[in-house]
Amino acid sequence: MRMFVAGQEAHGDLEFAELALGIDIDLFRGPLESETAGERAAREDAARDVLADLRAEAEAGDEIAGWDALYADALTRTVPFLRSVRVHLARTGEAA
């Protein structure tokens, strides 16, 4: 089954949510793969700017931007499961 949002085809659930909500999940949550300290700092800086813009739009009366700001803010507090497992395994070593 093919999924379309605003005329664009979504290839998977995450892309569908990104197109529907207008939020780049990886920007706020972080990528599933590792990133350098510089990449992380740049991503977090961009995420802060986008979140500030969403909050400003919400204060100006844009209800959708307000909901998007809440969702984006919540994403910043998550850790992708696969990344958290890799960190945990690296710290504990392999099971015997």
Side-chain angles (χ1 to χ4, degrees):
M1 183 167 112
R2 297 171 75 179
M3 300 179 287
F4 289 89
V5 177
Q8 293 184 337
E9 185 175 1
H11 301 281
D13 294 341
L14 284 178
E15 190 172 344
F16 179 80
E18 182 178 322
L19 288 171
L21 297 172
I23 297 287
D24 181 359
I25 295 171
D26 284 344
L27 177 65
F28 294 96
R29 177 199 63 196
L32 295 177
E33 300 83 29
S34 62
E35 58 187 341
T36 66
E39 291 170 335
R40 182 176 183 176
R43 178 184 54 78
E44 289 175 346
D45 188 43
R48 276 191 295 274
D49 289 344
V50 171
L51 190 54
D53 289 345
L54 288 172
R55 287 179 177 154
E57 291 174 17
E59 289 175 9
D62 187 342
E63 185 178 351
I64 301 298
W67 286 109
D68 285 347
L70 289 173
Y71 179 61
D73 189 47
L75 285 172
T76 64
R77 292 173 172 71
T78 63
V79 175
F81 179 72
L82 294 175
R83 188 172 63 201
S84 67
V85 168
R86 272 188 245 125
V87 169
H88 177 71
L89 291 177
R91 289 183 183 160
T92 60
E94 291 187 27

XYZ file of all heavy atoms in Angstrom:
729
model
N 0.835 -1.168 0.000
C 0.000 0.000 0.000
C 0.889 1.245 0.000
O 1.859 1.315 0.738
C -0.885 0.008 1.248
C -1.835 1.149 1.277
S -3.074 0.907 2.541
C -2.630 2.187 3.668
N 0.560 2.203 -0.816
C 1.336 3.432 -0.909
C 0.659 4.506 -0.070
O -0.560 4.608 -0.012
C 1.435 3.850 -2.361
C 2.182 2.806 -3.189
C 2.098 3.078 -4.643
N 2.977 4.190 -4.980
C 3.124 4.652 -6.210
N 2.459 4.116 -7.197
N 3.936 5.650 -6.448
N 1.498 5.314 0.608
C 0.973 6.380 1.457
C 1.432 7.724 0.910
O 2.606 7.897 0.581
C 1.491 6.224 2.890
C 1.103 4.926 3.545
S 1.767 4.773 5.212
C 3.502 4.492 4.889
N 0.507 8.669 0.838
C 0.823 10.004 0.354
C 0.370 11.044 1.369
O -0.690 10.914 1.968
C 0.124 10.280 -0.990
C 0.703 9.492 -2.126
C 0.223 8.234 -2.428
C 1.727 10.021 -2.891
C 0.756 7.505 -3.476
C 2.269 9.295 -3.941
C 1.779 8.032 -4.233
N 1.192 12.060 1.554
C 0.839 13.210 2.393
C 1.141 14.454 1.571
O 2.286 14.674 1.163
C 1.651 13.227 3.716
C 1.327 14.464 4.521
C 1.413 11.968 4.520
N 0.111 15.251 1.338
C 0.254 16.491 0.568
C 0.961 16.269 -0.767
O 1.829 17.033 -1.167
C 0.983 17.547 1.389
N 0.621 15.167 -1.428
C 1.181 14.884 -2.738
C 2.550 14.243 -2.745
O 3.095 13.967 -3.800
N 3.131 14.002 -1.572
C 4.441 13.350 -1.496
C 4.260 11.935 -0.956
O 3.535 11.715 0.000
C 5.390 14.125 -0.589
C 5.758 15.474 -1.137
C 6.779 16.176 -0.258
O 6.914 15.886 0.916
N 7.512 17.096 -0.853
N 4.971 10.994 -1.579
C 4.881 9.612 -1.137
C 5.785 9.381 0.069
O 6.942 9.775 0.081
C 5.288 8.658 -2.262
C 5.089 7.199 -1.888
C 5.360 6.239 -3.029
O 5.723 6.701 -4.137
O 5.213 5.034 -2.806
N 5.215 8.742 1.067
C 5.970 8.405 2.282
C 6.405 6.948 2.180
O 5.602 6.068 1.883
C 5.107 8.609 3.515
N 7.679 6.691 2.439
C 8.234 5.340 2.382
C 8.486 4.852 3.801
O 9.623 4.807 4.264
C 9.534 5.326 1.572
C 9.354 5.798 0.170
N 8.828 5.004 -0.823
C 9.595 7.001 -0.407
C 8.770 5.688 -1.945
N 9.235 6.907 -1.723
N 7.447 4.521 4.499
C 7.581 4.008 5.860
C 6.861 4.884 6.874
O 6.468 6.026 6.599
N 6.697 4.342 8.061
C 5.949 5.024 9.114
C 6.606 6.323 9.567
O 5.936 7.323 9.782
C 5.771 4.094 10.322
C 4.890 2.897 10.009
O 4.129 2.950 9.022
O 4.970 1.912 10.760
N 7.935 6.297 9.741
C 8.616 7.509 10.201
C 8.506 8.635 9.181
O 8.281 9.786 9.541
C 10.081 7.226 10.520
C 10.344 6.485 11.823
C 11.838 6.214 11.990
C 9.819 7.261 13.003
N 8.679 8.298 7.918
C 8.576 9.321 6.883
C 7.146 9.842 6.781
O 6.920 11.030 6.559
C 9.044 8.780 5.535
C 9.186 9.861 4.491
C 9.819 9.368 3.209
O 10.418 8.281 3.194
O 9.704 10.092 2.212
N 6.167 8.967 6.983
C 4.769 9.396 6.975
C 4.520 10.394 8.102
O 3.924 11.451 7.905
C 3.834 8.193 7.125
C 2.384 8.566 7.153
C 1.698 8.830 5.974
C 1.691 8.674 8.354
C 0.360 9.179 5.991
C 0.361 9.030 8.381
C -0.317 9.282 7.194
N 4.999 10.081 9.306
C 4.824 10.982 10.447
C 5.546 12.307 10.197
O 5.021 13.380 10.524
C 5.340 10.330 11.720
N 6.741 12.243 9.625
C 7.502 13.462 9.340
C 6.764 14.351 8.345
O 6.675 15.566 8.540
C 8.880 13.090 8.801
C 9.765 14.285 8.528
C 11.140 13.874 8.033
O 11.681 12.871 8.529
O 11.661 14.559 7.148
N 6.218 13.750 7.296
C 5.483 14.529 6.307
C 4.184 15.070 6.884
O 3.817 16.220 6.647
C 5.194 13.676 5.068
C 6.376 13.364 4.167
C 5.975 12.337 3.109
C 6.900 14.626 3.520
N 3.491 14.259 7.672
C 2.208 14.678 8.232
C 2.378 15.775 9.274
O 1.600 16.731 9.330
C 1.490 13.473 8.833
N 3.390 15.645 10.118
C 3.577 16.603 11.200
C 4.473 17.776 10.818
O 4.447 18.817 11.466
C 4.177 15.900 12.426
C 3.309 14.813 13.046
C 4.092 14.064 14.110
C 2.042 15.416 13.627
N 5.312 17.581 9.822
C 6.245 18.631 9.444
C 7.438 18.721 10.381
O 8.094 19.742 10.463
N 7.716 17.656 11.104
C 8.809 17.624 12.081
C 9.817 16.578 11.640
O 9.470 15.427 11.397
C 8.285 17.255 13.485
C 7.307 18.300 13.990
C 9.416 17.047 14.454
C 7.935 19.596 14.412
N 11.086 16.973 11.553
C 12.169 16.036 11.264
C 12.549 15.349 12.579
O 13.178 15.960 13.446
C 13.368 16.769 10.671
C 14.527 15.852 10.332
O 14.430 14.624 10.573
O 15.537 16.363 9.833
N 12.140 14.120 12.740
C 12.331 13.399 13.993
C 13.801 13.303 14.363
O 14.181 13.527 15.515
C 11.666 12.011 13.909
C 10.151 12.182 13.780
C 12.014 11.161 15.125
C 9.397 10.921 13.476
N 14.656 12.986 13.410
C 16.092 12.855 13.702
C 16.720 14.165 14.168
O 17.680 14.147 14.930
C 16.859 12.337 12.485
C 16.664 10.846 12.261
O 16.200 10.170 13.200
O 16.978 10.376 11.158
N 16.171 15.292 13.725
C 16.712 16.578 14.154
C 16.562 16.755 15.661
O 17.472 17.217 16.333
C 16.003 17.724 13.424
C 16.418 19.142 13.835
C 17.882 19.400 13.480
C 15.522 20.160 13.176
N 15.440 16.348 16.206
C 15.175 16.552 17.630
C 15.588 15.359 18.483
O 16.075 15.525 19.590
C 13.693 16.866 17.846
C 13.296 18.168 17.233
C 12.723 18.214 15.984
C 13.544 19.350 17.888
C 12.381 19.423 15.401
C 13.211 20.570 17.319
C 12.630 20.602 16.065
N 15.400 14.157 17.976
C 15.725 12.960 18.733
C 17.181 12.580 18.592
O 17.790 12.046 19.510
C 14.838 11.811 18.235
C 15.121 10.477 18.894
C 14.592 9.328 18.092
N 15.267 9.287 16.792
C 14.827 8.608 15.760
N 13.708 7.932 15.838
N 15.494 8.605 14.630
N 17.735 12.811 17.445
C 19.079 12.362 17.130
C 19.013 11.142 16.235
O 18.033 10.412 16.239
N 20.064 10.920 15.447
C 20.055 9.778 14.526
C 20.243 8.458 15.272
O 20.721 8.437 16.411
C 21.251 10.066 13.614
C 22.178 10.859 14.473
C 21.298 11.689 15.356
N 19.880 7.374 14.614
C 20.074 6.055 15.211
C 21.536 5.661 15.216
O 21.983 4.923 16.079
C 19.246 5.007 14.463
C 17.738 5.178 14.551
C 17.040 4.113 13.712
C 17.260 5.132 15.983
N 22.297 6.170 14.247
C 23.731 5.896 14.190
C 24.455 6.912 15.060
O 23.906 7.938 15.420
C 24.254 5.992 12.752
C 23.599 5.030 11.787
C 22.286 5.560 11.250
O 22.122 6.783 11.159
O 21.408 4.744 10.946
N 25.710 6.622 15.354
C 26.485 7.551 16.170
C 26.805 8.810 15.365
O 26.822 8.796 14.140
C 27.768 6.892 16.660
O 28.575 6.529 15.561
N 27.034 9.904 16.079
C 27.409 11.150 15.444
C 28.567 11.758 16.230
O 28.737 11.488 17.412
C 26.215 12.120 15.393
C 25.638 12.456 16.740
C 24.362 13.278 16.656
O 24.074 13.894 15.620
O 23.647 13.306 17.658
N 29.366 12.553 15.547
C 30.506 13.186 16.208
C 29.989 14.299 17.127
O 28.827 14.724 17.017
C 31.480 13.795 15.184
O 30.819 14.876 14.523
C 31.957 12.757 14.181
N 30.857 14.780 17.996
C 30.473 15.863 18.894
C 30.095 17.118 18.113
O 29.134 17.814 18.462
C 31.603 16.156 19.872
N 30.817 17.392 17.031
C 30.508 18.548 16.191
C 29.167 18.422 15.497
O 28.404 19.382 15.413
N 28.883 17.225 14.970
C 27.595 16.980 14.324
C 26.453 17.123 15.328
O 25.408 17.708 15.022
C 27.565 15.593 13.700
C 28.463 15.423 12.503
C 28.594 13.985 12.044
O 28.400 13.051 12.861
O 28.900 13.789 10.859
N 26.672 16.579 16.522
C 25.633 16.663 17.551
C 25.389 18.116 17.957
O 24.239 18.545 18.087
C 26.024 15.839 18.773
C 24.968 15.861 19.834
C 25.325 14.976 20.995
N 24.220 15.003 21.946
C 24.171 14.292 23.032
N 25.143 13.471 23.327
N 23.144 14.383 23.841
N 26.452 18.882 18.142
C 26.301 20.289 18.520
C 25.549 21.068 17.441
O 24.662 21.878 17.747
C 27.663 20.915 18.778
N 25.876 20.829 16.177
C 25.203 21.513 15.071
C 23.728 21.113 15.007
O 22.852 21.972 14.814
C 25.894 21.189 13.752
N 23.444 19.816 15.174
C 22.053 19.339 15.144
C 21.254 19.947 16.280
O 20.138 20.427 16.091
C 22.016 17.805 15.218
C 20.596 17.239 15.231
C 20.579 15.732 15.395
N 21.312 15.253 16.551
C 20.840 15.296 17.803
N 19.669 15.834 18.069
N 21.555 14.806 18.801
N 21.829 19.947 17.483
C 21.111 20.497 18.632
C 20.899 21.996 18.500
O 19.857 22.515 18.908
C 21.853 20.157 19.922
C 21.763 18.685 20.271
C 22.589 18.300 21.488
O 23.446 19.104 21.919
O 22.378 17.192 22.016
N 21.857 22.703 17.909
C 21.709 24.138 17.683
C 20.567 24.408 16.704
O 19.735 25.292 16.932
C 23.027 24.714 17.167
C 23.005 26.229 17.098
O 22.508 26.861 18.053
O 23.499 26.770 16.089
N 20.526 23.635 15.627
C 19.448 23.793 14.646
C 18.098 23.444 15.273
O 17.098 24.145 15.039
C 19.714 22.906 13.431
N 18.060 22.400 16.095
C 16.817 21.999 16.750
C 16.324 23.103 17.687
O 15.119 23.391 17.744
C 17.014 20.694 17.515
N 17.241 23.735 18.421
C 16.853 24.840 19.310
C 16.253 25.997 18.508
O 15.249 26.601 18.916
C 18.050 25.323 20.118
C 18.304 24.515 21.372
C 19.335 25.195 22.267
N 20.658 25.257 21.642
C 21.550 24.277 21.705
N 21.273 23.161 22.347
N 22.722 24.408 21.120
N 16.854 26.305 17.353
C 16.337 27.389 16.515
C 14.934 27.065 15.994
O 14.042 27.918 16.022
C 17.273 27.657 15.337
C 18.582 28.307 15.744
O 18.664 28.827 16.887
O 19.529 28.289 14.929
N 14.752 25.846 15.511
C 13.442 25.446 14.992
C 12.406 25.455 16.112
O 11.282 25.942 15.940
C 13.520 24.050 14.321
C 12.135 23.524 13.988
C 14.388 24.111 13.073
N 12.769 24.946 17.282
C 11.848 24.918 18.417
C 11.477 26.338 18.851
O 10.314 26.616 19.146
C 12.468 24.135 19.570
C 11.560 23.814 20.744
C 10.300 23.100 20.301
C 12.311 22.963 21.763
N 12.441 27.242 18.844
C 12.155 28.643 19.186
C 11.185 29.260 18.182
O 10.258 29.990 18.570
C 13.449 29.442 19.249
N 11.377 28.946 16.896
C 10.465 29.448 15.866
C 9.056 28.901 16.058
O 8.069 29.634 15.942
C 10.964 29.093 14.466
C 12.202 29.878 14.055
O 12.511 30.898 14.720
O 12.867 29.456 13.084
N 8.951 27.597 16.358
C 7.640 26.993 16.586
C 6.944 27.624 17.784
O 5.740 27.897 17.749
C 7.779 25.483 16.784
C 8.122 24.662 15.548
C 8.426 23.221 15.940
C 6.982 24.717 14.541
N 7.694 27.865 18.847
C 7.103 28.488 20.039
C 6.642 29.917 19.744
O 5.587 30.344 20.218
C 8.108 28.467 21.181
C 8.290 27.078 21.758
C 9.312 27.060 22.864
N 9.415 25.733 23.458
C 10.485 25.273 24.055
N 11.569 26.033 24.162
N 10.497 24.061 24.570
N 7.425 30.653 18.965
C 7.035 32.020 18.599
C 5.762 32.010 17.761
O 4.861 32.838 17.975
C 8.170 32.711 17.843
N 5.672 31.075 16.821
C 4.463 30.960 15.998
C 3.265 30.583 16.861
O 2.155 31.074 16.647
C 4.669 29.931 14.894
C 5.654 30.355 13.826
C 5.956 29.249 12.827
O 5.190 28.269 12.763
O 6.960 29.374 12.104
N 3.485 29.714 17.847
C 2.405 29.313 18.746
C 1.915 30.502 19.571
O 0.706 30.684 19.748
C 2.872 28.179 19.656
N 2.848 31.310 20.058
C 2.464 32.492 20.836
C 1.710 33.513 19.986
O 0.900 34.279 20.503
C 3.701 33.127 21.460
C 4.285 32.305 22.594
C 5.582 32.881 23.132
O 5.955 34.018 22.742
O 6.226 32.190 23.939
N 1.976 33.490 18.679
C 1.286 34.395 17.758
C -0.092 33.867 17.368
O -0.809 34.513 16.608
C 2.135 34.625 16.510
N -0.460 32.682 17.876
C -1.796 32.161 17.631
C -1.880 30.925 16.757
O -2.976 30.442 16.490
N -0.756 30.393 16.294
C -0.773 29.200 15.439
C -0.840 27.952 16.316
O 0.162 27.518 16.892
C 0.473 29.167 14.561
C 0.449 28.050 13.524
O -0.340 27.097 13.675
O 1.228 28.144 12.563
N -2.043 27.380 16.419
C -2.249 26.221 17.291
C -1.460 25.000 16.830
O -0.917 24.259 17.653
C -3.736 25.874 17.356
C -4.056 24.764 18.330
C -5.529 24.470 18.416
O -6.341 25.223 17.862
O -5.874 23.455 19.050
N -1.358 24.787 15.524
C -0.613 23.647 14.993
C 0.859 23.766 15.371
O 1.491 22.786 15.776
C -0.770 23.536 13.459
C -2.238 23.372 13.070
C 0.077 22.404 12.903
C -2.905 22.117 13.616
N 1.416 24.961 15.250
C 2.821 25.165 15.638
C 3.008 24.875 17.121
O 4.051 24.343 17.523
C 3.262 26.589 15.316
N 2.013 25.189 17.933
C 2.090 24.886 19.356
C 2.160 23.393 19.623
O 2.972 22.931 20.438
N 1.326 22.643 18.919
C 1.368 21.181 19.077
C 2.683 20.608 18.547
O 3.260 19.703 19.144
C 0.176 20.523 18.376
C -1.107 20.730 19.113
C -2.149 21.528 18.747
C -1.476 20.145 20.370
N -3.128 21.478 19.689
C -2.749 20.627 20.696
C -0.845 19.263 21.247
C -3.417 20.254 21.862
C -1.510 18.895 22.409
C -2.774 19.383 22.715
N 3.145 21.149 17.418
C 4.428 20.712 16.867
C 5.568 21.010 17.837
O 6.490 20.202 17.996
C 4.712 21.390 15.520
C 3.873 20.817 14.391
O 3.248 19.749 14.571
O 3.840 21.461 13.319
N 5.507 22.164 18.509
C 6.546 22.521 19.483
C 6.541 21.539 20.651
O 7.608 21.119 21.116
C 6.331 23.949 19.979
N 5.361 21.164 21.118
C 5.281 20.186 22.215
C 5.864 18.838 21.796
O 6.592 18.197 22.556
C 3.830 20.012 22.662
C 3.213 21.188 23.406
C 1.724 20.938 23.633
C 3.930 21.417 24.727
N 5.532 18.404 20.577
C 6.039 17.126 20.071
C 7.554 17.171 19.901
O 8.274 16.267 20.337
C 5.345 16.799 18.744
C 5.799 15.511 18.109
C 5.644 14.298 18.764
C 6.368 15.506 16.841
C 6.054 13.108 18.177
C 6.775 14.332 16.250
C 6.612 13.133 16.922
O 7.031 11.968 16.340
N 8.054 18.246 19.305
C 9.500 18.388 19.086
C 10.238 18.441 20.417
O 11.295 17.818 20.579
C 9.792 19.640 18.266
N 9.693 19.158 21.384
C 10.310 19.246 22.698
C 10.361 17.877 23.364
O 11.359 17.508 23.985
C 9.551 20.247 23.560
C 10.260 20.551 24.853
O 11.484 20.805 24.814
O 9.602 20.521 25.912
N 9.295 17.098 23.225
C 9.280 15.749 23.798
C 10.321 14.858 23.122
O 10.966 14.036 23.793
C 7.888 15.134 23.661
N 10.507 15.020 21.818
C 11.513 14.226 21.107
C 12.920 14.503 21.610
O 13.776 13.623 21.604
C 11.453 14.499 19.600
C 10.298 13.862 18.839
C 10.258 14.388 17.418
C 10.405 12.351 18.856
N 13.188 15.729 22.057
C 14.523 16.057 22.540
C 14.852 15.317 23.829
O 16.015 15.222 24.201
C 14.696 17.575 22.782
O 13.808 17.987 23.823
C 14.447 18.362 21.520
N 13.832 14.791 24.489
C 14.037 14.082 25.757
C 14.066 12.558 25.583
O 14.063 11.834 26.563
C 12.941 14.454 26.736
C 13.004 15.894 27.190
C 11.786 16.258 28.023
N 11.877 17.557 28.630
C 11.812 18.715 27.996
N 11.701 18.723 26.691
N 11.875 19.852 28.629
N 14.081 12.101 24.351
C 14.096 10.662 24.098
C 15.470 10.206 23.634
O 16.269 10.997 23.147
C 13.068 10.264 23.022
O 13.423 10.883 21.792
C 11.658 10.670 23.414
N 15.721 8.923 23.795
C 16.941 8.307 23.291
C 16.490 7.137 22.426
O 15.744 6.277 22.900
C 17.832 7.791 24.439
C 19.034 7.045 23.895
C 18.262 8.931 25.326
N 16.883 7.109 21.167
C 16.484 5.982 20.322
C 16.885 4.658 20.965
O 17.984 4.510 21.492
C 17.243 6.214 19.017
C 17.504 7.670 19.002
C 17.696 8.065 20.432
N 15.976 3.708 20.946
C 16.189 2.421 21.603
C 17.462 1.733 21.122
O 18.253 1.265 21.926
C 14.980 1.514 21.369
C 15.130 0.162 21.986
C 15.059 0.006 23.360
C 15.375 -0.953 21.203
C 15.208 -1.240 23.939
C 15.530 -2.190 21.778
C 15.442 -2.341 23.144
N 17.687 1.698 19.825
C 18.864 1.002 19.306
C 20.157 1.650 19.787
O 21.114 0.969 20.125
C 18.835 0.970 17.775
C 17.716 0.139 17.168
C 17.721 0.286 15.651
C 17.827 -1.306 17.564
N 20.187 2.987 19.846
C 21.377 3.680 20.318
C 21.593 3.411 21.804
O 22.705 3.188 22.252
C 21.261 5.177 20.049
C 22.549 5.925 20.348
C 22.512 7.356 19.903
N 21.487 8.073 20.631
C 20.929 9.198 20.225
N 21.278 9.734 19.074
N 20.027 9.807 20.938
N 20.519 3.395 22.587
C 20.670 3.162 24.019
C 21.144 1.738 24.295
O 21.914 1.509 25.223
C 19.356 3.439 24.755
O 18.369 2.497 24.406
N 20.716 0.785 23.495
C 21.161 -0.600 23.660
C 22.644 -0.712 23.349
O 23.393 -1.355 24.078
C 20.338 -1.549 22.759
C 20.967 -2.924 22.698
C 18.920 -1.646 23.271
N 23.095 -0.047 22.260
C 24.516 -0.095 21.908
C 25.375 0.492 23.012
O 26.423 -0.054 23.348
C 24.764 0.649 20.599
C 24.594 -0.245 19.394
C 25.038 0.461 18.132
N 23.825 0.592 17.345
C 23.335 1.703 16.870
N 23.949 2.836 17.047
N 22.219 1.716 16.194
N 24.956 1.591 23.599
C 25.713 2.215 24.684
C 25.746 1.291 25.886
O 26.781 1.093 26.509
C 25.104 3.592 25.045
C 25.707 4.133 26.330
C 25.298 4.570 23.901
N 24.620 0.679 26.200
C 24.545 -0.235 27.335
C 25.461 -1.445 27.124
O 26.205 -1.831 28.019
C 23.100 -0.701 27.551
C 22.947 -1.705 28.649
N 23.086 -1.357 29.978
C 22.704 -3.022 28.618
C 22.912 -2.442 30.712
N 22.678 -3.469 29.913
N 25.426 -2.025 25.932
C 26.277 -3.191 25.645
C 27.757 -2.826 25.679
O 28.580 -3.608 26.115
C 25.907 -3.811 24.301
C 24.538 -4.499 24.240
C 24.266 -4.994 22.823
C 24.449 -5.642 25.230
N 28.087 -1.650 25.212
C 29.486 -1.221 25.206
C 30.007 -1.053 26.630
O 31.181 -1.332 26.914
C 29.640 0.094 24.448
N 29.155 -0.647 27.534
C 29.579 -0.435 28.914
C 29.659 -1.735 29.699
O 30.467 -1.881 30.595
C 28.597 0.498 29.619
C 28.695 1.907 29.129
C 27.772 2.803 29.893
N 27.815 4.145 29.354
C 26.887 5.048 29.537
N 25.830 4.762 30.272
N 27.005 6.236 29.011
N 28.786 -2.693 29.396
C 28.742 -3.924 30.182
C 29.548 -5.053 29.587
O 29.818 -6.029 30.241
C 27.275 -4.397 30.353
O 26.723 -4.628 29.054
C 26.466 -3.362 31.107
N 29.912 -4.957 28.326
C 30.613 -6.039 27.665
C 29.641 -7.113 27.218
O 28.439 -7.013 27.429
N 30.143 -8.139 26.602
C 29.290 -9.202 26.111
C 28.913 -10.137 27.255
O 29.655 -10.342 28.191
C 29.998 -9.989 25.018
C 30.185 -9.181 23.751
C 30.743 -10.018 22.629
O 30.511 -11.255 22.632
O 31.432 -9.467 21.783
N 27.733 -10.730 27.103
C 27.273 -11.689 28.114
C 28.070 -12.983 27.982
O 28.519 -13.356 26.905
C 25.792 -11.967 27.921
N 28.268 -13.665 29.086
C 29.047 -14.906 29.078
C 28.260 -16.063 28.565
O 27.117 -16.130 28.545
C 29.531 -15.214 30.479
